């Protein structure tokens, strides 16, 4: 029952969230310096009559409340509207760009989880010794370094210097898996490093707390190998708290993908969103932002369910 109630609560909370996100983006785009009518003609010498006709046809001359509620009505029907510039349905643009952003986010998430679990366990097991001190210094630097700065260093070192990876561009997984992995490695690592650094510190703290508990000393006194104690009991219990942190950091991954995609010329949601902002295409910007907001809510919902699965005590007390 707790899982069903949580699912229902999250779905209901999605409605005011989307309305608020749509309103926020709508207001911001109305104050943008770019005129969609001028951008639609792409520098052509359009007359004032042509510009006014474009604004009338696309409802840009209607009062703001009318424009906003028209967009909300379309959204309720699953219609993200039509791009003001290319006259292409926004849903089709999202369907093309979203898979790449999901691939980048999931690959970055996988790298962050592997690194943080490995480093967090080693740091806790060798508490206050040189491996722990070294990992703490590295993670502190990782937390302080933004993803775009890490990306610049990786490009300079591994792409320009060593020539191991391309500096930009994207290869579809359907065309070549090795080419896809080669084109996505640097962006995913750049995106993952700050998240891995933060998760490492959280896992290390949780592991230290678990290692100091009585059941660990009892298991060790009973002759169980340290690998069994840490792997079977301590690690499982210690990962409960990092799960909640991971849900919040996934929002960082989605947001960071916008910048990283632009730096590496990846045709995902980020690059399309920035171009839409420059063009003043409010329909595309609203569609992209709302899609990311939905993804953020769904990801946190999944993390909450995993938290219940990992912590049976919550199910038994609810």
């Amino acid at each position: 029952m707790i899982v069903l109630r949580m699912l229902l609560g999250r779905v209901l909370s999605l409605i005011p969230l989307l309305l608020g996100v749509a309103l926020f983006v709508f207001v911001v785009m109305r104050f943008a310096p770019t005129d969609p009518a001028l951008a639609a003609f792409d520098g052509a010498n359009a007359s004032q009559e042509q510009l006014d006709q474009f604004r009338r046809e696309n409802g840009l001359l209607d009062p703001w409340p009318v424009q906003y509620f028209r967009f909300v009505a379309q959204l309720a029907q699953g219609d993200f509207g039509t791009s003001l510039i290319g006259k292409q349905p926004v849903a089709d643009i999202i369907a093309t760009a979203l898979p790449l952003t999901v691939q980048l986010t999931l690959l970055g998430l996988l790298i962050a989880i592997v690194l943080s679990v490995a480093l967090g366990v080693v740091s806790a097991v060798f508490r206050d010794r040189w491996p722990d001190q070294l990992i703490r210094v590295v993670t502190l630097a990782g937390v302080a370094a933004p993803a775009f700065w890490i990306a610049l260093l990786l490009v300079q070192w591994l792409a320009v210097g060593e020539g191991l990876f391309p500096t930009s561009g994207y290869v579809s997984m359907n065309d070549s898996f090795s080419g896809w992995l080669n084109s996505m490695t640097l962006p995913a690592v750049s995106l993952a490093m700050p998240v891995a650094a933060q998760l490492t510190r959280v896992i290390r703290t949780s592991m230290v707390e678990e290692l100091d508990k009585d059941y660990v000393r009892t298991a060790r006194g009973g002759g169980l190998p340290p690998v069994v104690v840490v792997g079977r009991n301590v690690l499982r219990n210690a990962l409960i708290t990092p799960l909640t942190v991971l849900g919040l950091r996934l929002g960082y991954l989605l947001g960071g993908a916008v910048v990283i995609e632009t730096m590496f010329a990846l045709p995902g949601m980020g690059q399309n969103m920035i171009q839409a902002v420059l063009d003043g295409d409010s329909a595309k910007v609203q569609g992209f932002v709302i899609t990311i907001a939905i993804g953020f809510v769904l990801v946190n919902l999944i993390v909450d369910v995993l938290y219940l699965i990992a912590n049976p005590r919550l199910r038994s007390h609810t």
Side-chain angles (χ1 to χ4, degrees):
M1 290 298 295
I2 179 61
V3 176
L4 293 178
R5 285 199 298 269
M6 180 179 294
L7 288 172
L8 180 60
R10 287 292 188 276
V11 171
L12 293 177
S13 67
L14 184 63
I15 298 174
L17 173 64
L18 293 181
L19 291 176
V21 169
L23 178 61
F24 175 77
V25 177
F26 178 85
V27 172
V28 170
M29 291 303 299
R30 291 310 175 274
F31 285 99
T34 304
D35 187 345
L38 293 176
F41 286 93
D42 195 21
N45 293 323
S47 65
Q48 187 61 42
E49 291 76 11
Q50 290 175 309
L51 295 176
D52 291 339
Q53 181 180 359
F54 177 87
R55 296 185 181 107
R56 282 193 300 270
E57 291 176 350
N58 291 276
L60 298 178
L61 298 179
D62 295 336
W64 287 8
V66 174
Q67 296 183 45
Y68 172 70
F69 285 109
R70 180 170 58 234
F71 173 74
V72 171
Q74 292 175 340
L75 183 63
Q77 301 173 5
D79 181 8
F80 286 92
T82 303
S83 170
L84 299 178
I85 309 302
K87 296 301 180 181
Q88 183 180 1
V90 176
D92 293 345
I93 302 174
I94 293 174
T96 302
L98 183 59
L100 191 149
T101 301
V102 171
Q103 293 171 22
L104 177 59
T105 303
L106 292 180
L107 185 58
L109 176 64
L110 177 62
I111 295 172
I113 290 176
V114 172
L115 286 177
S116 60
V117 171
L119 295 177
V121 171
V122 171
S123 184
V125 171
F126 294 95
R127 177 180 11 175
D128 296 329
R129 285 180 275 178
W130 72 265
D132 181 29
Q133 299 294 340
L134 178 60
I135 292 174
R136 289 165 71 177
V137 171
V138 172
T139 55
L140 181 61
V143 171
F148 72 87
W149 186 76
I150 295 175
L152 290 175
L153 292 181
L154 291 178
V155 168
Q156 182 66 31
W157 174 33
L158 297 177
V160 178
E162 301 295 333
L164 299 177
F165 299 96
T167 57
S168 62
Y170 173 71
V171 177
S172 173
M173 188 184 299
N174 296 327
D175 296 334
S176 171
F177 179 79
S178 60
W180 171 83
L181 188 62
N182 200 38
S183 65
M184 295 288 282
T185 297
L186 288 187
V189 172
S190 304
L191 196 61
M193 291 301 290
V195 176
Q198 293 184 353
L199 282 178
T200 297
R201 296 169 68 89
V202 175
I203 292 174
R204 189 249 182 210
T205 301
S206 298
M207 286 283 296
V208 168
E209 292 176 355
E210 288 295 322
L211 288 171
D212 289 337
K213 291 184 176 179
D214 293 336
Y215 78 90
V216 176
R217 289 191 288 268
T218 302
R220 286 174 173 173
L224 286 177
V227 175
V228 175
V229 176
V230 173
R232 182 181 299 176
N233 303 109
V234 176
L235 182 58
R236 178 180 178 182
N237 294 331
L239 289 180
I240 294 176
T241 300
L243 270 177
T244 59
V245 178
L246 179 62
L248 297 175
R249 300 319 299 167
L250 275 173
Y252 169 86
L253 288 173
L254 287 171
V258 174
V259 178
I260 296 300
E261 286 176 1
T262 304
M263 292 184 63
F264 287 93
L266 300 176
M269 295 280 287
Q271 191 176 40
N272 279 275
M273 185 187 303
I274 291 178
Q275 187 59 50
V277 171
L278 295 176
D279 292 340
D281 197 335
S282 57
K284 284 176 66 175
V285 174
Q286 289 173 148
F288 287 136
V289 173
I290 288 175
T291 300
I292 292 176
I294 293 174
F296 181 79
V297 172
L298 293 178
V299 165
N300 279 273
L301 175 60
I302 295 173
V303 171
D304 288 340
V305 173
L306 292 176
Y307 185 80
L308 288 175
I309 295 174
N311 192 353
R313 288 174 295 182
L314 289 180
R315 300 196 301 269
S316 62
H317 287 102
T318 306

